[in-house]
Amino acid sequence: ATIGADLSLRNDFGSGLWNGAPIGIPYNIVGPATPRSNVTFDYTDESDVVGYPVPTSPLIEGGESGTGDRHVLMVDTSECKLYELYHVYYRTSGWTAGSGAVFDLKSNALRPDTWTSADAAGLPILPGLVRYDEVARGSVNHMIRFTVPKTSRAYLWPARHYASSITDPADPPLGLVMRLKSTFDTSKLKPQARVIARALMTYGMILADNGSPWYMSGVPDERWDMDDLYTLRQIKGRDFEAVDISSLRIEANSGEAKQLNTDVDNHP
């Protein structure tokens, strides 16, 4: 109710341009040939201070002239590591960022408890993005990142950090998982939207940052059909249910989860 029971679900990604930049959060594929750069952080005490493989002209959220979160995500396929930066700029002295995090994709380790990442909740961003190739394949097999306007001064596993001073329990904590009710009729959605809706029924979406209400994150791609994705707006806040996933936790400092049957038809 606090987020907005009557507000529509929105795709914060798509094709084309918005304010002159691609819509969504892009990512960069890098490798051994990409030089490592030192980055100056605003939040050094909660950032991984290492060399980041920032390309010469990286894909930046919002574009080179963007003024928003300006995330830069980099996947090093040779080391199987994910490097993520928040609020990135290139100055005369080099790269600067608000915060930065490195995730070993061969590990389930979470950020140190209470630490942020390049995202408010201390989670990696890339795993929660909707990608066109997943939808084209017919299944999105993970939770999806989403935002709300106000969060509380709290967080739930696997989140590691809060970004609010609000103590009202009516406001959601970071890490909250919302799942689309199994009773929602997806037949009225168009094909791309229907695949995403099924992921929301199976895995749900996880609250990762403060932002606009019910905004899902994804990767910009010219193959997205914006008219198709627009049908996601038929889904309202009241069509979701909050899910307690604490029983899936194996260890507090690990993102590994107990594996259960995720057949959407078996949801209670």
Side-chain angles (χ1 to χ4, degrees):
T2 305
I3 302 170
D6 295 321
L7 297 180
S8 295
L9 180 68
R10 301 293 185 97
N11 53 292
D12 196 16
F13 59 91
S15 58
L17 302 177
W18 177 260
N19 290 334
I23 309 167
I25 304 177
Y27 63 95
N28 301 267
I29 299 296
V30 300
T34 309
R36 267 46 179 174
S37 300
N38 293 324
V39 180
T40 302
F41 294 109
D42 295 332
Y43 302 102
T44 306
D45 57 338
E46 293 183 21
S47 295
D48 292 324
V49 182
V50 299
Y52 283 76
V54 185
T56 304
S57 299
L59 299 173
I60 302 175
E61 179 188 12
E64 187 176 346
S65 302
T67 57
D69 284 350
R70 293 181 59 87
H71 288 111
V72 173
L73 315 182
M74 297 149 285
V75 181
D76 189 319
T77 55
S78 63
E79 2 175 80
C80 204
K81 285 187 178 180
L82 171 63
Y83 296 80
E84 299 190 336
L85 295 168
Y86 160 71
H87 211 238
V88 177
Y89 286 91
Y90 188 78
R91 314 292 189 186
T92 54
S93 57
W95 291 104
T96 68
S99 57
V102 182
F103 296 91
D104 183 348
L105 300 179
K106 302 184 296 294
S107 168
N108 291 310
L110 299 175
R111 303 285 289 159
D113 195 22
T114 74
W115 277 34
T116 189
S117 57
D119 215 359
L123 298 169
I125 296 171
L126 181 60
L129 301 182
V130 182
R131 304 191 310 273
Y132 176 81
D133 58 289
E134 299 175 303
V135 173
R137 188 176 62 232
S139 62
V140 176
N141 298 321
H142 58 79
M143 286 191 286
I144 298 171
R145 178 185 186 268
F146 84 108
T147 63
V148 304
K150 294 192 304 177
T151 56
S152 65
R153 192 177 185 272
Y155 55 94
L156 302 173
W157 177 87
R160 307 297 273 173
H161 184 260
Y162 57 75
S164 172
S165 60
I166 298 172
T167 57
D168 186 343
D171 289 294
L174 288 172
L176 176 70
V177 174
M178 301 295 285
R179 184 174 65 192
L180 183 61
K181 294 176 182 177
S182 60
T183 53
F184 184 84
D185 182 8
T186 61
S187 65
K188 53 191 176 182
L189 303 178
K190 291 191 174 182
Q192 292 180 2
R194 195 177 308 125
V195 173
I196 295 170
R198 186 166 181 84
L200 294 173
M201 282 186 177
T202 307
Y203 300 97
M205 55 186 186
I206 188 165
L207 181 53
D209 201 354
N210 300 306
S212 298
W214 305 117
Y215 270 51
M216 290 186 300
S217 302
V219 178
D221 197 298
E222 287 308 306
R223 295 169 292 181
W224 287 120
D225 184 328
M226 297 301 281
D227 291 334
D228 183 312
L229 296 178
Y230 189 85
T231 63
L232 287 166
R233 298 192 184 191
Q234 297 175 34
I235 302 174
K236 308 296 183 183
R238 62 176 174 270
D239 296 316
F240 287 94
E241 56 192 354
V243 180
D244 179 0
I245 65 168
S246 60
S247 64
L248 301 181
R249 187 176 70 182
I250 295 174
E251 200 275 316
N253 295 315
S254 171
E256 185 179 6
K258 295 176 184 176
Q259 299 302 300
L260 303 176
N261 184 352
T262 55
D263 184 350
V264 67
D265 296 327
N266 289 337
H267 283 170

